[in-house]
């Protein structure tokens, strides 16, 4: 295995080592890094969790996760055994038990002696948010956070459940760790396509001149999930779509779309530029929330012939739950670049497809040189940035249809990762874990970042908490509640439904169905059949 020779020795100590995240994401990602030769030669994994497991059972669980979720597929015995030798400790203990931390400290010191280097110590908090503070305290009390250069703490989301708790958590972490030791994860930032937003915008000269209020009508960010809440009802009941997705993943994507060009790729530079976007988000006044935010909860329904129960019937969900499984918000960024350009963000569970996409809708042409009879349906240009699946970018524009007469039709110019690069992109957690080992903080949230993101959603959360919603209000397999349509329709626009299977195909047939002679007037605000939600 070609280990990068000069990479620092690292130990990752996972709190919550027998949990879902470790099984599904962390260890499969570490295994992929190992197979790809990305782990330092001196590398080890340690685990702490409440569950009693012997080493054999622990390793069997981790291998099962690797076989199911690693992008390399089922592990080969030889590879797994070599990787498993790096998993050197599992300790069943309560997270408040000081002995567990002393034992961890001894094991870490032992490795330093054996390796004859001072290894980086990464404490990964894959634990329920309620114990983040406790683990940080115990690490601090055991002296495990003292070495500021070597010890790092990784904190999973949700980072608090509101502004106040996020501030409290920041204060708690700061008691034991300096800010540069703290890595607040938002796994969306590790996705290849999300990182590509920086490259797309700032490594190409042609988009930046158009990237502003003069040319862009509005932006839509959709993160649709086909899955329901599944076994995570216990967590989700206290979260909901606004906290679980909008406060972090969708706002982060919005920052990358909205930020000013960075002077360099220094982590602080990128984070400052993103922070400027969040700080410029126009606060929504409580009495106006209903114009800016809509929530929903799925009822029972069908997706592709399969019946799915209502959210309220999912395990560990209150039968009268008011938790939203869908949220849509309209935000404005009050600065020179974006003044007056709405950013529509929406996310939901049990929607018809799993797809995450950013749509940049450009303004219509300023003057229609082509008579309406040639045009049919005049659609303004649109850039679709597909985050997942079928990762890629689609530019929509008008073209002359082949023929002796002059008739126009919409076509798509398409870039896909699969076709262009022909390799499987790394999982977000691979990128993020590697960044922690290398001390690169670009893709992690800073303390102030987390707090300002809460500030953005707090008025909505508070307004929603004050009123009991009439749930469920959308069936599984639909694109959310009707009110979500109204949210955008009042502005003369409509949601763009990402067509997963047909993405990238030219849309001529569809344009053909539109009555001839339709007036181009107001074309930027008109919806097509495909764009109108069910
Ligand atoms: C997590 C949320 O952060 O992101 C989940 O807690 C959600 O509710 C998941 O399903 C979506 O991530 P991805 O990478 O599958 O889009």
């Amino acid at each position: 295995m070609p280990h990068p020779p000069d990479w620092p020795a690292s130990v990752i100590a996972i709190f919550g080592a027998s949990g879902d995240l470790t099984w599904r994401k962390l260890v499969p990602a570490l295994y992929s890094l190992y197979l790809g030769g990305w782990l330092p030669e001196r590398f080890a994994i340690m685990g702490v969790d409440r569950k009693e497991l012997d080493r054999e059972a622990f390793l069997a669980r981790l291998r099962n996760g690797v076989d199911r979720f690693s992008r390399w597929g089922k592990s080969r015995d030889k590879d797994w055994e070599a990787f498993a030798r790096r998993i050197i400790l599992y300790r069943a203990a309560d997270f408040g038990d000081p002995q567990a931390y002393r034992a961890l400290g001894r094991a870490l010191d032992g490795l330093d002696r054996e390796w004859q280097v001072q290894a980086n110590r990464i404490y990964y908090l894959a634990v329920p948010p309620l114990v983040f503070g406790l683990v940080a305290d115990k690490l601090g009390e055991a002296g495990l956070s003292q070495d500021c250069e070597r010890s790092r703490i990784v904190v999973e989301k949700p980072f608090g459940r509101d502004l106040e708790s996020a501030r409290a958590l920041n204060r708690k972490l700061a008691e034991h760790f300096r800010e540069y030791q703290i890595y607040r994860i938002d796994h969306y930032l590790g996705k290849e396509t999300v990182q590509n937003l920086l490259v797309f915008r700032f490594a190409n000269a042609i988009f930046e001149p158009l990237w502003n209020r003069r040319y862009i009508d509005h932006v839509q960010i959709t993160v649709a999930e086909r899955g329901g809440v599944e076994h995570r009802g216990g967590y989700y009941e206290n979260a909901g779509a606004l906290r679980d997705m909008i406060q972090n993943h969708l706002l982060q994507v919005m920052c990358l779309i909205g930020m000013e060009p960075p002077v360099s790729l220094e982590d602080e530079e990128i984070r400052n530029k993103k922070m400027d976007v969040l700080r410029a988000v126009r606060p929504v006044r409580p009495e106006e929330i209903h114009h800016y935010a809509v929530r929903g909860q799925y009822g029972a329904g069908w997706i592709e012939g399969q019946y799915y129960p209502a959210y309220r019937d999912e395990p560990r969900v209150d039968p009268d739950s008011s938790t939203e499984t869908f949220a849509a918000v309209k935000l404005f960024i009050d600065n020179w670049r974006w003044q007056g350009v709405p950013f529509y963000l929406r996310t939901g569970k049990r929607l018809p497809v799993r797809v995450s996409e950013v749509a940049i809708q450009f303004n219509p042409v300023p003057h229609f040189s082509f008579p309406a009879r040639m045009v049919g349906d005049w659609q303004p240009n649109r850039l679709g940035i597909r985050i997942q699946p079928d990762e890629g970018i689609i530019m929509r524009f008008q073209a002359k249809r082949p023929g002796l007469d002059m008739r126009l039709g919409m076509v798509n110019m398409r870039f896909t990762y699969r076709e262009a690069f022909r390799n499987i992109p790394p999982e977000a957690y691979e990128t993020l874990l590697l960044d922690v080992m290398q001390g690169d903080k670009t893709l992690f949230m800073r303390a102030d970042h987390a707090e300002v993101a809460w500030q953005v959603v707090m008025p909505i959360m508070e307004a929603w908490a004050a009123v009991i919603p009439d749930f469920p209000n959308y069936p599984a397999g639909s694109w959310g509640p009707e009110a979500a349509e109204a949210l955008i329709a009042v502005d003369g626009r409509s949601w763009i439904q990402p067509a997963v299977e047909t993405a990238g195909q030219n849309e001529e047939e569809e344009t053909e169905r539109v009555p001839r002679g339709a007036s181009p007037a107001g074309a930027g605000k008109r919806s097509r059949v495909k764009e109108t939600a069910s």
Side-chain angles (χ1 to χ4, degrees):
M1 207 63 53
H3 298 288
D6 53 345
W7 284 11
S10 298
V11 184
I12 174 159
I14 305 176
F15 292 84
S18 69
D20 191 70
L21 184 72
T22 308
W23 172 66
R24 195 186 283 268
K25 296 284 186 192
L26 301 184
V27 171
L30 290 168
Y31 181 74
S32 297
L33 288 174
Y34 169 73
L35 284 191
W38 289 96
L39 291 183
E41 193 159 358
R42 294 191 184 93
F43 174 80
I45 300 172
M46 300 184 181
V48 180
D49 211 336
R50 286 183 285 225
K51 198 166 175 178
E52 286 291 344
L53 282 178
D54 59 26
R55 180 176 167 81
E56 215 172 296
F58 178 56
L59 290 183
R61 177 173 165 77
L62 298 187
R63 184 169 188 182
N64 170 277
V66 164
D67 288 348
R68 289 180 59 176
F69 305 114
S70 153
R71 71 185 160 99
W72 297 74
K74 205 164 159 19
S75 58
R76 291 188 311 185
D77 288 348
K78 189 166 85 47
D79 294 333
W80 170 258
E81 278 152 22
F83 176 75
R85 279 198 286 279
R86 289 151 179 271
I87 305 172
I88 60 168
L89 174 93
Y90 177 78
R91 190 173 171 103
D94 194 89
F95 294 123
D97 176 6
Q99 283 197 33
Y101 296 82
R102 283 199 285 273
L104 181 64
R106 283 195 298 274
L108 288 166
D109 290 343
L111 273 186
D112 281 357
R113 279 195 301 277
E114 185 189 323
W115 288 344
Q116 300 188 342
V117 286
Q118 297 210 309
N120 284 334
R121 299 170 169 193
I122 296 160
Y123 309 115
Y124 200 113
L125 270 51
V127 290
L130 277 178
V131 291
F132 286 166
L134 175 69
V135 177
D137 268 343
K138 296 294 163 196
L139 284 167
E141 286 165 17
L144 293 175
S145 60
Q146 267 165 12
D147 186 336
C148 305
E149 294 311 315
R150 291 196 300 144
S151 42
R152 295 164 196 171
I153 187 165
V154 185
V155 188
E156 265 294 332
K157 69 172 272 280
F159 195 85
R161 63 180 321 277
D162 53 20
L163 178 59
E164 202 182 316
S165 55
R167 280 185 176 145
L169 182 53
N170 274 333
R171 281 196 299 272
K172 172 60 69 193
L173 291 170
E175 284 173 23
H176 306 289
F177 294 88
R178 308 253 175 96
E179 178 59 27
Y180 66 84
Q181 294 176 272
I182 305 170
Y183 291 72
R184 296 173 192 79
I185 278 216
D186 181 320
H187 80 276
Y188 258 63
L189 293 178
K191 289 182 190 279
E192 287 285 299
T193 36
V194 174
Q195 291 178 68
N196 188 47
L197 290 173
L198 284 176
V199 180
F200 180 75
R201 287 195 55 200
F202 305 126
N204 296 298
I206 59 171
F207 304 112
E208 185 53 21
L210 306 179
W211 214 257
N212 56 53
R213 62 191 299 273
R214 208 165 151 211
Y215 296 100
I216 294 179
D217 175 73
H218 74 281
V219 176
Q220 296 189 19
I221 303 175
T222 296
V223 177
E225 295 188 89
R226 218 183 109 135
V229 73
E230 280 137 23
H231 59 282
R232 296 170 72 226
Y235 152 75
Y236 201 82
E237 273 290 88
N238 291 311
L242 192 66
R243 284 190 177 91
D244 186 47
M245 299 292 285
I246 298 221
Q247 187 270 346
N248 35 73
H249 305 328
L250 280 88
L251 283 184
Q252 287 300 316
V253 173
M254 188 180 95
C255 286
L256 291 168
I257 297 292
M259 68 189 268
E260 294 301 314
V263 174
S264 71
L265 277 190
E266 294 291 310
D267 50 10
E268 279 312 301
E269 169 65 5
I270 303 277
R271 298 200 299 175
N272 286 339
K273 290 288 193 295
K274 282 168 55 189
M275 183 69 182
D276 286 345
V277 175
L278 285 180
R279 286 194 303 123
V281 174
R282 185 184 304 165
V284 183
R285 287 208 295 272
E287 65 279 13
E288 290 179 344
I289 294 292
H290 56 287
H291 293 312
Y292 290 91
V294 162
R295 58 180 157 165
Q297 186 193 77
Y298 61 84
W302 296 81
I303 307 178
E304 286 180 11
Q306 166 118 22
Y307 177 79
Y308 292 96
Y311 173 72
R312 289 177 175 184
D313 294 328
E314 302 273 19
R316 299 172 67 198
V317 168
D318 179 349
D320 296 320
S321 173
S322 296
T323 302
E324 81 282 356
T325 58
F326 176 99
V329 299
K330 173 166 73 171
L331 299 174
F332 287 94
I333 300 171
D334 280 341
N335 61 18
W336 275 50
R337 184 185 289 268
W338 295 115
Q339 190 56 242
V341 178
F343 282 68
Y344 300 98
L345 280 50
R346 68 175 167 163
T347 183
K349 294 199 185 284
R350 284 274 184 262
L351 302 187
V353 285
R354 174 177 183 259
V355 61
S356 300
E357 187 169 279
V358 178
I360 312 283
Q361 178 84 31
F362 290 93
N363 286 328
V365 290
H367 169 68
F368 296 97
S369 316
F370 296 87
R373 72 187 151 73
M374 292 181 183
V375 178
D377 183 28
W378 194 295
Q379 299 285 332
N381 298 117
R382 183 198 296 154
L383 191 67
I385 304 173
R386 176 63 62 81
I387 294 172
Q388 63 190 22
D390 300 334
E391 291 79 358
I393 295 176
I394 296 173
M395 181 78 210
R396 184 178 76 166
F397 55 91
Q398 290 278 359
K400 180 186 178 305
R401 290 167 179 271
L404 295 175
D405 54 350
M406 174 61 87
R407 287 199 306 131
L408 276 56
M410 297 304 302
V411 292
N412 285 327
M413 192 161 66
R414 182 185 192 210
F415 146 72
T416 70
Y417 273 77
R418 207 182 27 223
E419 283 165 18
F421 298 118
R422 296 183 189 282
N423 63 3
I424 309 172
E427 288 286 330
Y429 275 95
E430 294 175 44
T431 304
L432 296 171
L433 285 164
L434 201 58
D435 282 357
V436 180
M437 284 184 250
Q438 294 179 333
D440 182 345
K441 304 203 63 185
T442 312
L443 301 179
F444 297 84
M445 311 245 282
R446 224 165 44 190
D448 52 351
H449 226 132
E451 292 181 13
V452 178
W454 278 115
Q455 248 158 19
V456 169
V457 298
M458 280 308 290
I460 305 172
M461 273 169 46
E462 282 165 1
W464 285 358
V467 180
I468 296 175
D470 191 10
F471 282 166
N473 60 356
Y474 71 96
S478 71
W479 277 100
E482 268 176 28
E485 296 307 313
L487 179 85
I488 189 165
V490 293
D491 299 336
R493 304 184 176 98
S494 62
W495 292 108
I496 296 154
Q497 274 4 336
V500 174
E501 298 82 359
T502 57
Q505 289 173 15
N506 288 348
E507 296 170 4
E508 292 188 17
E509 282 177 27
E510 187 186 346
T511 314
E512 200 76 82
R513 289 200 299 271
V514 177
R516 300 277 98 190
S519 162
K525 314 278 162 150
R526 230 172 34 227
S527 68
R528 291 179 304 154
V529 176
K530 191 164 140 197
E531 291 176 353
T532 310
S534 49

